[in-house]
Amino acid sequence: MKRAFFILLIAIFTVGTVFAGGSAEQSTGTTSASGKTVINVWTNDRHDLAYVEEKIAEFNATNDKNIEIVLTTVVEDYPNMLVMAYSSGNAPDLFGINARGTGFDLKTFVDGGMLVPLTDYIKDEEFEKVTEASQHIIEGINAIDGVPYMIYTALRSGSRMIYNKDLLEASGITELPTTLQELVEVADKVTKTGNGQYYGIATCSSAQLERWLEGVCTKSGAYPYDFKTGKFNFDGFKEPVKIAQQFFKNGSMFPGSNNQGVDAMRAQFAAGTFAIWGNASQEAGVFTSQFPIEDFEWVVGELPSIDGTVKGAVEARPQKAYCMFSSSKNKDAAWEVIKFFSSEDFLKGYLESGFALPISNYMAERIDMSKIGRMADFAILDYEGMFPAYPAVTVAGDDYAKALWNCIVSGSDVDAVIADLNKRYNEALDRDVSIGKVKRIVIEDFDMLNPEAGTPVYLDK
């Protein structure tokens, strides 16, 4: 008991030490000095902070709801900080969330009674018009059992291949590859032309599989989880992993890149030391502002697939949604703030600033694409979509992304690695279902080309 109390004290203390902007004290108040209703909002986004703060200042000065927004940026361990703030009675009214990759598990928050369902709120006509909320309720991503707890307002594209056009042309390549084998051959040809001065392709030390190769797999019809049967199945990864091993066997992977940080390799691409880089729409800003490319022409191409055809969706990541804590004392005012962040005025400036892509057709028709710069090269494709979440199981050993990437780098037996993944993941799923940690999700009418559709059923066996 003493140890638990000590940990809680540490948690409460920590909550007050990792903020940039705002303060821990602000999260406990409900009115400002001027008598306005204070709505406290947490975010872990910093790339768009100047724009968001500017719009908040405008809202605070002009809104007729007698509301004041206080924004706090949490700079580390975001999901755990949210849980600790809620447990200690210091939770904000709202917190911002982007899709997968932040460590946030929606089901954990819902099962803990921490969130307010937005079912009735999102019936607001103006909100529906701008966000098309009813069309973007995705199981496990922003909804549990069909009940929405947040509505995303923007998108990060699925992965693309980004090419140094000058290096391709110097190697006699005039057409972008449409199959993974063609990509291997292009990388090999550029490397041979470079003769040690530049290479075909590079990776980095984080999210190697997820950065673009996993998108090749899903476009080819492979996915880690078979929603129709409710089991993990990695068999579809065999062929792409075997082909990708050739990047290392051929020596066309930029030496040492597998151990370098993502920004280090972005800088290398901008310097012209390799020809092919895979990532999503955030690279539009990276290569125009952070590491501006000025000495060569760069082009953005679609991901290849195994045979050049599209058999599954490439996963786009929804961005910019807000959850309401159940502990909020001013829920209706908090909803007004969600509406503000989801309004046409806020989103138009946000999207035209190139921070993300529109998720709704309504906003896509209202932004000036000429203002978004190279973000336009990452415009959402017909076959991009958002996948439902599969069970977050506790697996012994390496997760599938690390296991598959290690197999690619080492050139080890792909069939053995896949068999091991199938065994370990399904054993973990059966165990976690049996102890009530997760439920098995089955979508009998699941369609790889339309992953947002289908009717999910949760099973406890």
Side-chain angles (χ1 to χ4, degrees):
M1 181 65 72
K2 289 182 178 179
R3 182 175 182 272
F5 180 71
F6 179 67
I7 291 172
L8 179 59
L9 284 178
I10 293 174
I12 294 171
F13 174 76
T14 306
V15 168
T17 63
V18 295
F19 299 100
S23 73
E25 286 184 276
Q26 290 169 331
S27 65
T28 62
T30 57
T31 57
S32 68
S34 61
K36 290 185 176 182
T37 299
V38 172
I39 298 301
N40 289 285
V41 182
W42 283 13
T43 180
N44 66 338
D45 281 338
R46 285 173 286 178
H47 69 290
D48 57 6
L49 198 56
Y51 175 83
V52 174
E53 289 181 332
E54 178 185 349
K55 297 300 288 185
I56 286 175
E58 180 183 309
F59 175 88
N60 286 345
T62 62
N63 82 86
D64 59 1
K65 309 291 185 182
N66 201 39
I67 294 172
E68 180 180 339
I69 301 172
V70 174
L71 182 71
T72 300
T73 304
V74 181
V75 298
E76 62 183 49
D77 203 17
Y78 190 48
N80 286 333
M81 298 307 296
L82 291 167
V83 172
M84 289 189 291
Y86 181 85
S87 300
S88 64
N90 290 302
D93 299 277
L94 304 173
F95 62 93
I97 282 291
N98 289 325
R100 301 172 187 174
T102 62
F104 174 78
D105 180 38
L106 176 61
K107 195 170 189 307
T108 297
F109 278 68
V110 171
D111 289 348
M114 291 186 275
L115 304 183
V116 175
L118 300 183
T119 307
D120 292 332
Y121 285 113
I122 67 174
K123 294 176 182 177
D124 181 285
E125 291 184 8
E126 180 67 17
F127 184 84
E128 170 65 23
K129 181 183 76 173
V130 174
T131 65
E132 297 167 3
S134 61
Q135 301 176 38
H136 300 295
I137 297 174
I138 307 155
E139 190 63 28
I141 302 300
N142 67 342
I144 298 295
D145 292 332
V147 177
Y149 292 88
M150 54 183 153
I151 298 297
Y152 288 102
T153 57
L155 278 176
R156 188 185 79 182
S157 79
S159 295
R160 303 283 192 276
M161 301 312 299
I162 303 168
Y163 299 91
N164 180 323
K165 187 179 179 182
D166 292 11
L167 293 186
L168 295 190
E169 291 181 347
S171 302
I173 299 162
T174 57
E175 294 184 5
L176 301 182
T178 60
T179 70
L180 183 57
Q181 185 61 47
E182 288 173 356
L183 187 72
V184 167
E185 293 166 1
V186 166
D188 186 46
K189 191 169 185 179
V190 171
T191 300
K192 290 175 178 174
T193 302
N195 194 29
Q197 298 301 306
Y198 53 82
Y199 290 80
I201 194 168
T203 183
C204 66
S205 60
S206 63
Q208 294 102 325
L209 187 80
E210 302 97 309
R211 203 165 292 280
W212 64 270
L213 187 55
E214 190 164 14
V216 172
C217 296
T218 62
K219 186 176 179 179
S220 304
Y223 200 68
Y225 189 81
D226 185 342
F227 286 100
K228 291 185 176 181
T229 65
K231 295 181 179 181
F232 286 94
N233 188 344
F234 296 92
D235 289 350
F237 287 78
K238 288 182 181 180
E239 188 173 1
V241 168
K242 288 177 180 178
I243 294 172
Q245 287 179 331
Q246 297 175 53
F247 289 119
F248 288 92
K249 291 178 180 177
N250 294 345
S252 56
M253 188 69 69
F254 185 81
S257 63
N258 195 47
N259 299 312
Q260 297 297 313
V262 62
D263 279 348
M265 296 319 301
R266 286 164 163 164
Q268 289 284 355
F269 179 77
T273 55
F274 61 90
I276 307 168
W277 175 250
N279 218 356
S281 54
Q282 64 268 35
E283 304 305 81
V286 168
F287 293 129
T288 55
S289 300
Q290 185 179 1
F291 301 110
I293 295 175
E294 300 171 345
D295 297 329
F296 61 86
E297 183 179 353
W298 59 285
V299 296
V300 180
E302 296 180 29
L303 290 178
S305 65
I306 294 300
D307 61 6
T309 64
V310 180
K311 295 180 179 177
V314 171
E315 186 169 20
R317 298 286 176 90
Q319 308 285 293
K320 280 297 174 190
Y322 292 87
C323 293
M324 188 187 305
F325 266 124
S326 58
S327 56
S328 172
K329 296 178 176 63
N330 297 291
K331 293 181 176 62
D332 288 345
W335 171 247
E336 291 297 329
V337 173
I338 291 179
K339 284 176 61 179
F340 157 68
F341 284 130
S342 309
S343 66
E344 180 175 341
D345 175 70
F346 182 93
L347 290 175
K348 181 174 172 60
Y350 190 87
L351 297 168
E352 288 182 348
S353 297
F355 292 119
L357 294 160
I359 196 172
S360 71
N361 292 325
Y362 180 87
M363 286 309 305
E365 293 170 356
R366 277 156 183 78
I367 63 173
D368 183 348
M369 292 294 286
S370 68
K371 292 183 178 181
I372 70 174
R374 294 304 298 263
M375 182 66 79
D377 294 335
F378 295 85
I380 299 300
L381 302 167
D382 291 341
Y383 56 83
E384 285 186 272
M386 292 174 280
F387 284 78
Y390 50 75
V393 296
T394 304
V395 183
D398 290 340
D399 65 30
Y400 78 86
K402 185 174 182 180
L404 292 175
W405 186 256
N406 287 343
C407 179
I408 290 169
V409 175
S410 65
S412 55
D413 186 337
V414 178
D415 291 343
V417 171
I418 296 292
D420 177 64
L421 285 172
N422 286 337
K423 181 177 183 292
R424 287 193 293 117
Y425 267 80
N426 283 304
E427 285 178 349
L429 176 60
D430 291 343
R431 181 191 63 246
D432 287 356
V433 169
S434 69
I435 64 176
K437 180 178 180 291
V438 300
K439 289 189 176 182
R440 191 185 306 273
I441 181 173
V442 176
I443 306 175
E444 291 185 355
D445 54 349
F446 182 76
D447 181 359
M448 274 293 293
L449 287 167
N450 189 19
E452 296 174 41
T455 305
V457 175
Y458 286 95
L459 306 176
D460 55 9
K461 60 180 182 178

